[in-house]
Amino acid sequence: MKALKAVFNSPYFFWALLALPSIGMIPAAFNGNDLEPLLHPTGEFSARFMILAMMLTPLRMLFPGAGWINWLMKRRRYLGVAAFGYAVLHTLYYLIDLGSLSAVLADAVKLGIWTGWLAFVIFVPMAATSNDLSVRAMGRKWKTLQRFGYAAVVATLLHWIFVHNNLGPALVHFVPLAALEAYRVWYVFSRSRQAVAG
């Protein structure tokens, strides 16, 4: 039992879980297959891991005693880095699929495309500083930087809606996060009112 628990709590085990969806995505790119079908799943998993990472804090407020939430909270940075990794695959496949700089620049003016680029640009410094050394070196500035994740969420949502011209699937993914964040705002506001009243 101890050995099983050690495996379950190993960061390598968690990284393996996060990498599972990419097993079919990476070899397909090297086999000369059409990359366009890979654009949606890579972008979708990036969004999913980003959403899950951001849902954890309000979930912990809602279910303070839930062990699985606390287990994931300890690995939240892994989720963020995984989201970035799938975003890198998504961007790389997109660039290869278009095939030229002129095509990329012509595409960049579209709302569904530049919002994706905006989300990716925000992702870069967040992922680069998702390590203990950066957390210690940046202090409070690290949390300030991580709050830009909310802008990345909005940009990702717009990217998804306008690229696929379909509101439904995007809302299925993002509405739970919006609901939990609304609960988080209410929770913090109500606690601050109680503190003032007390």
Side-chain angles (χ1 to χ4, degrees):
M1 183 64 78
K2 285 185 178 179
L4 183 61
K5 189 175 181 181
V7 170
F8 188 69
N9 288 322
S10 167
Y12 302 107
F13 172 77
F14 195 62
W15 278 118
L17 285 179
L18 296 175
L20 274 178
S22 70
I23 289 175
M25 299 175 185
I26 296 175
F30 287 101
N31 291 336
N33 294 354
D34 181 15
L35 292 179
E36 188 173 357
L38 296 174
L39 293 179
H40 181 66
T42 51
E44 193 171 274
F45 273 102
S46 176
R48 285 173 178 168
F49 287 135
M50 175 183 64
I51 290 167
L52 179 56
M54 298 190 73
M55 287 172 69
L56 290 177
T57 296
L59 277 173
R60 187 168 62 174
M61 292 175 174
L62 192 58
F63 306 106
W68 66 273
I69 296 175
N70 292 327
W71 188 85
L72 283 172
M73 279 293 293
K74 295 175 183 178
R75 295 156 179 82
R76 183 165 59 173
R77 272 188 275 162
Y78 298 168
L79 289 167
V81 173
F84 177 70
Y86 283 96
V88 169
L89 275 182
H90 181 68
T91 305
L92 181 62
Y93 291 172
Y94 165 75
L95 293 174
I96 294 172
D97 185 59
L98 284 189
S100 68
L101 179 61
S102 59
V104 171
L105 293 176
D107 217 28
V109 297
K110 300 174 183 176
L111 177 61
I113 301 301
W114 69 256
T115 48
W117 280 113
L118 176 61
F120 185 76
V121 168
I122 294 171
F123 258 145
V124 172
M126 291 177 64
T129 56
S130 289
N131 56 76
D132 293 337
L133 181 62
S134 296
V135 173
R136 289 193 296 269
M138 295 178 68
R140 292 182 179 179
K141 292 180 181 178
W142 186 84
K143 283 194 173 182
T144 301
L145 175 63
Q146 296 301 310
R147 289 191 182 102
F148 279 94
Y150 294 105
V153 165
V154 173
T156 301
L157 174 60
L158 293 173
H159 173 64
W160 191 329
I161 291 171
F162 285 98
V163 163
H164 297 287
N165 196 26
N166 192 347
L167 191 63
L171 291 183
V172 166
H173 283 79
F174 285 89
V175 164
L177 174 60
L180 284 169
E181 287 297 340
Y183 169 77
R184 181 183 183 180
V185 171
W186 172 85
Y187 179 88
V188 172
F189 180 70
S190 62
R191 289 289 295 269
S192 62
R193 284 182 61 186
Q194 289 174 8
V196 171

PDB file of all heavy atoms in Angstrom, residues 119-137:
ATOM      1  N   ALA A 119      -3.446  35.118 -25.819  1.00  0.00           N
ATOM      2  CA  ALA A 119      -3.441  34.119 -24.742  1.00  0.00           C
ATOM      3  C   ALA A 119      -2.081  33.436 -24.653  1.00  0.00           C
ATOM      4  O   ALA A 119      -1.546  33.234 -23.551  1.00  0.00           O
ATOM      5  CB  ALA A 119      -4.533  33.084 -24.981  1.00  0.00           C
ATOM      6  N   PHE A 120      -1.492  33.122 -25.791  1.00  0.00           N
ATOM      7  CA  PHE A 120      -0.188  32.445 -25.808  1.00  0.00           C
ATOM      8  C   PHE A 120       0.907  33.343 -25.240  1.00  0.00           C
ATOM      9  O   PHE A 120       1.757  32.889 -24.454  1.00  0.00           O
ATOM     10  CB  PHE A 120       0.164  32.019 -27.233  1.00  0.00           C
ATOM     11  CG  PHE A 120       1.428  31.216 -27.319  1.00  0.00           C
ATOM     12  CD1 PHE A 120       1.446  29.884 -26.929  1.00  0.00           C
ATOM     13  CD2 PHE A 120       2.595  31.788 -27.784  1.00  0.00           C
ATOM     14  CE1 PHE A 120       2.615  29.139 -27.001  1.00  0.00           C
ATOM     15  CE2 PHE A 120       3.771  31.054 -27.863  1.00  0.00           C
ATOM     16  CZ  PHE A 120       3.787  29.722 -27.472  1.00  0.00           C
ATOM     17  N   VAL A 121       0.893  34.610 -25.623  1.00  0.00           N
ATOM     18  CA  VAL A 121       1.903  35.562 -25.125  1.00  0.00           C
ATOM     19  C   VAL A 121       1.796  35.706 -23.603  1.00  0.00           C
ATOM     20  O   VAL A 121       2.807  35.795 -22.904  1.00  0.00           O
ATOM     21  CB  VAL A 121       1.746  36.934 -25.823  1.00  0.00           C
ATOM     22  CG1 VAL A 121       2.558  38.011 -25.125  1.00  0.00           C
ATOM     23  CG2 VAL A 121       2.163  36.825 -27.289  1.00  0.00           C
ATOM     24  N   ILE A 122       0.574  35.720 -23.089  1.00  0.00           N
ATOM     25  CA  ILE A 122       0.381  35.803 -21.639  1.00  0.00           C
ATOM     26  C   ILE A 122       0.892  34.535 -20.964  1.00  0.00           C
ATOM     27  O   ILE A 122       1.490  34.584 -19.883  1.00  0.00           O
ATOM     28  CB  ILE A 122      -1.111  36.025 -21.296  1.00  0.00           C
ATOM     29  CG1 ILE A 122      -1.571  37.397 -21.800  1.00  0.00           C
ATOM     30  CG2 ILE A 122      -1.350  35.923 -19.785  1.00  0.00           C
ATOM     31  CD1 ILE A 122      -3.070  37.613 -21.708  1.00  0.00           C
ATOM     32  N   PHE A 123       0.675  33.409 -21.622  1.00  0.00           N
ATOM     33  CA  PHE A 123       1.098  32.120 -21.085  1.00  0.00           C
ATOM     34  C   PHE A 123       2.611  32.038 -20.883  1.00  0.00           C
ATOM     35  O   PHE A 123       3.081  31.400 -19.924  1.00  0.00           O
ATOM     36  CB  PHE A 123       0.694  30.997 -22.045  1.00  0.00           C
ATOM     37  CG  PHE A 123      -0.520  30.231 -21.627  1.00  0.00           C
ATOM     38  CD1 PHE A 123      -1.408  29.757 -22.587  1.00  0.00           C
ATOM     39  CD2 PHE A 123      -0.780  29.951 -20.295  1.00  0.00           C
ATOM     40  CE1 PHE A 123      -2.531  29.025 -22.218  1.00  0.00           C
ATOM     41  CE2 PHE A 123      -1.896  29.224 -19.918  1.00  0.00           C
ATOM     42  CZ  PHE A 123      -2.766  28.761 -20.883  1.00  0.00           C
ATOM     43  N   VAL A 124       3.379  32.631 -21.790  1.00  0.00           N
ATOM     44  CA  VAL A 124       4.839  32.424 -21.791  1.00  0.00           C
ATOM     45  C   VAL A 124       5.496  32.812 -20.467  1.00  0.00           C
ATOM     46  O   VAL A 124       6.178  31.985 -19.846  1.00  0.00           O
ATOM     47  CB  VAL A 124       5.494  33.152 -22.989  1.00  0.00           C
ATOM     48  CG1 VAL A 124       7.014  33.107 -22.868  1.00  0.00           C
ATOM     49  CG2 VAL A 124       5.049  32.520 -24.305  1.00  0.00           C
ATOM     50  N   PRO A 125       5.339  34.070 -19.989  1.00  0.00           N
ATOM     51  CA  PRO A 125       5.994  34.406 -18.706  1.00  0.00           C
ATOM     52  C   PRO A 125       5.404  33.650 -17.522  1.00  0.00           C
ATOM     53  O   PRO A 125       6.117  33.366 -16.558  1.00  0.00           O
ATOM     54  CB  PRO A 125       5.760  35.916 -18.577  1.00  0.00           C
ATOM     55  CG  PRO A 125       4.579  36.205 -19.437  1.00  0.00           C
ATOM     56  CD  PRO A 125       4.660  35.233 -20.567  1.00  0.00           C
ATOM     57  N   MET A 126       4.121  33.313 -17.588  1.00  0.00           N
ATOM     58  CA  MET A 126       3.519  32.557 -16.500  1.00  0.00           C
ATOM     59  C   MET A 126       4.139  31.164 -16.396  1.00  0.00           C
ATOM     60  O   MET A 126       4.456  30.686 -15.304  1.00  0.00           O
ATOM     61  CB  MET A 126       2.002  32.446 -16.706  1.00  0.00           C
ATOM     62  CG  MET A 126       1.258  33.752 -16.545  1.00  0.00           C
ATOM     63  SD  MET A 126      -0.514  33.581 -16.878  1.00  0.00           S
ATOM     64  CE  MET A 126      -1.010  32.454 -15.570  1.00  0.00           C
ATOM     65  N   ALA A 127       4.321  30.516 -17.537  1.00  0.00           N
ATOM     66  CA  ALA A 127       4.911  29.177 -17.541  1.00  0.00           C
ATOM     67  C   ALA A 127       6.390  29.233 -17.178  1.00  0.00           C
ATOM     68  O   ALA A 127       6.894  28.377 -16.443  1.00  0.00           O
ATOM     69  CB  ALA A 127       4.731  28.529 -18.915  1.00  0.00           C
ATOM     70  N   ALA A 128       7.093  30.253 -17.680  1.00  0.00           N
ATOM     71  CA  ALA A 128       8.531  30.373 -17.423  1.00  0.00           C
ATOM     72  C   ALA A 128       8.839  30.585 -15.944  1.00  0.00           C
ATOM     73  O   ALA A 128       9.932  30.235 -15.478  1.00  0.00           O
ATOM     74  CB  ALA A 128       9.114  31.514 -18.250  1.00  0.00           C
ATOM     75  N   THR A 129       7.902  31.159 -15.212  1.00  0.00           N
ATOM     76  CA  THR A 129       8.134  31.439 -13.788  1.00  0.00           C
ATOM     77  C   THR A 129       7.419  30.434 -12.881  1.00  0.00           C
ATOM     78  O   THR A 129       7.342  30.653 -11.671  1.00  0.00           O
ATOM     79  CB  THR A 129       7.668  32.864 -13.431  1.00  0.00           C
ATOM     80  OG1 THR A 129       6.278  33.014 -13.795  1.00  0.00           O
ATOM     81  CG2 THR A 129       8.491  33.906 -14.171  1.00  0.00           C
ATOM     82  N   SER A 130       6.919  29.344 -13.440  1.00  0.00           N
ATOM     83  CA  SER A 130       6.223  28.335 -12.632  1.00  0.00           C
ATOM     84  C   SER A 130       7.216  27.332 -12.055  1.00  0.00           C
ATOM     85  O   SER A 130       7.184  26.139 -12.361  1.00  0.00           O
ATOM     86  CB  SER A 130       5.161  27.625 -13.477  1.00  0.00           C
ATOM     87  OG  SER A 130       4.087  28.479 -13.740  1.00  0.00           O
ATOM     88  N   ASN A 131       8.113  27.841 -11.251  1.00  0.00           N
ATOM     89  CA  ASN A 131       9.104  27.005 -10.571  1.00  0.00           C
ATOM     90  C   ASN A 131       9.432  27.646  -9.229  1.00  0.00           C
ATOM     91  O   ASN A 131       9.198  28.844  -9.023  1.00  0.00           O
ATOM     92  CB  ASN A 131      10.367  26.841 -11.428  1.00  0.00           C
ATOM     93  CG  ASN A 131      10.967  28.182 -11.821  1.00  0.00           C
ATOM     94  OD1 ASN A 131      11.612  28.863 -11.024  1.00  0.00           O
ATOM     95  ND2 ASN A 131      10.734  28.593 -13.076  1.00  0.00           N
ATOM     96  N   ASP A 132       9.947  26.855  -8.306  1.00  0.00           N
ATOM     97  CA  ASP A 132      10.204  27.336  -6.945  1.00  0.00           C
ATOM     98  C   ASP A 132      11.180  28.498  -6.917  1.00  0.00           C
ATOM     99  O   ASP A 132      11.034  29.430  -6.120  1.00  0.00           O
ATOM    100  CB  ASP A 132      10.734  26.197  -6.073  1.00  0.00           C
ATOM    101  CG  ASP A 132       9.688  25.117  -5.824  1.00  0.00           C
ATOM    102  OD1 ASP A 132       8.477  25.428  -5.942  1.00  0.00           O
ATOM    103  OD2 ASP A 132      10.069  23.980  -5.524  1.00  0.00           O
ATOM    104  N   LEU A 133      12.198  28.471  -7.776  1.00  0.00           N
ATOM    105  CA  LEU A 133      13.198  29.542  -7.805  1.00  0.00           C
ATOM    106  C   LEU A 133      12.554  30.879  -8.148  1.00  0.00           C
ATOM    107  O   LEU A 133      12.815  31.894  -7.495  1.00  0.00           O
ATOM    108  CB  LEU A 133      14.303  29.204  -8.815  1.00  0.00           C
ATOM    109  CG  LEU A 133      15.436  30.225  -8.944  1.00  0.00           C
ATOM    110  CD1 LEU A 133      16.185  30.354  -7.622  1.00  0.00           C
ATOM    111  CD2 LEU A 133      16.400  29.825 -10.060  1.00  0.00           C
ATOM    112  N   SER A 134      11.692  30.887  -9.157  1.00  0.00           N
ATOM    113  CA  SER A 134      11.014  32.121  -9.562  1.00  0.00           C
ATOM    114  C   SER A 134      10.060  32.611  -8.483  1.00  0.00           C
ATOM    115  O   SER A 134       9.961  33.812  -8.230  1.00  0.00           O
ATOM    116  CB  SER A 134      10.252  31.904 -10.871  1.00  0.00           C
ATOM    117  OG  SER A 134      11.126  31.614 -11.925  1.00  0.00           O
ATOM    118  N   VAL A 135       9.362  31.678  -7.833  1.00  0.00           N
ATOM    119  CA  VAL A 135       8.424  32.054  -6.770  1.00  0.00           C
ATOM    120  C   VAL A 135       9.165  32.766  -5.646  1.00  0.00           C
ATOM    121  O   VAL A 135       8.724  33.806  -5.149  1.00  0.00           O
ATOM    122  CB  VAL A 135       7.676  30.812  -6.230  1.00  0.00           C
ATOM    123  CG1 VAL A 135       6.840  31.177  -5.007  1.00  0.00           C
ATOM    124  CG2 VAL A 135       6.795  30.208  -7.309  1.00  0.00           C
ATOM    125  N   ARG A 136      10.318  32.205  -5.254  1.00  0.00           N
ATOM    126  CA  ARG A 136      11.107  32.829  -4.180  1.00  0.00           C
ATOM    127  C   ARG A 136      11.687  34.159  -4.620  1.00  0.00           C
ATOM    128  O   ARG A 136      11.699  35.135  -3.856  1.00  0.00           O
ATOM    129  CB  ARG A 136      12.225  31.887  -3.736  1.00  0.00           C
ATOM    130  CG  ARG A 136      11.738  30.666  -2.959  1.00  0.00           C
ATOM    131  CD  ARG A 136      12.899  29.963  -2.285  1.00  0.00           C
ATOM    132  NE  ARG A 136      13.837  29.429  -3.263  1.00  0.00           N
ATOM    133  CZ  ARG A 136      13.772  28.197  -3.768  1.00  0.00           C
ATOM    134  NH1 ARG A 136      12.806  27.372  -3.389  1.00  0.00           N
ATOM    135  NH2 ARG A 136      14.668  27.777  -4.645  1.00  0.00           N
ATOM    136  N   ALA A 137      12.188  34.223  -5.845  1.00  0.00           N
ATOM    137  CA  ALA A 137      12.848  35.442  -6.324  1.00  0.00           C
ATOM    138  C   ALA A 137      11.860  36.591  -6.539  1.00  0.00           C
ATOM    139  O   ALA A 137      12.179  37.747  -6.263  1.00  0.00           O
ATOM    140  CB  ALA A 137      13.603  35.150  -7.619  1.00  0.00           C
TER     141      ALA A 137
END
